[in-house]
Amino acid sequence: YCCDTAWDTICANAANANCEGGGGGGDDCCVANGSPGCGDAACQSAVCAVDPFCCSTAWDDLCADEAGQYCPELCP
């Protein structure tokens, strides 16, 4: 389904859990990950407080940039 139809939140979560170097931690907050939210709860909360799109629709490049601003320890 993920490769043939659509890459959705379930696919992104499976990739993060099963792929070496994948998200699971907070590193997916620092890049667009295609799914709502990211792997670090504190950073996700900080970004979504100012940009709800990041948690309701998709964590895109703008969300990743905001993570760099609001979570500098995670996304230097």
Side-chain angles (χ1 to χ4, degrees):
Y1 175 85
C2 298
C3 295
D4 296 330
T5 306
W7 188 268
D8 61 9
T9 304
I10 295 170
C11 300
N13 289 340
N16 284 338
N18 294 303
C19 298
E20 185 175 329
D27 58 343
D28 68 334
C29 295
C30 306
V31 295
N33 67 36
S35 64
C38 71
D40 184 89
C43 186
Q44 175 181 294
S45 293
V47 171
C48 292
V50 295
D51 191 349
F53 176 88
C54 300
C55 285
S56 65
T57 306
W59 197 271
D60 61 13
D61 288 328
L62 292 175
C63 304
D65 289 344
E66 291 166 342
Q69 178 181 355
Y70 295 107
C71 317
E73 70 287 347
L74 191 65
C75 306

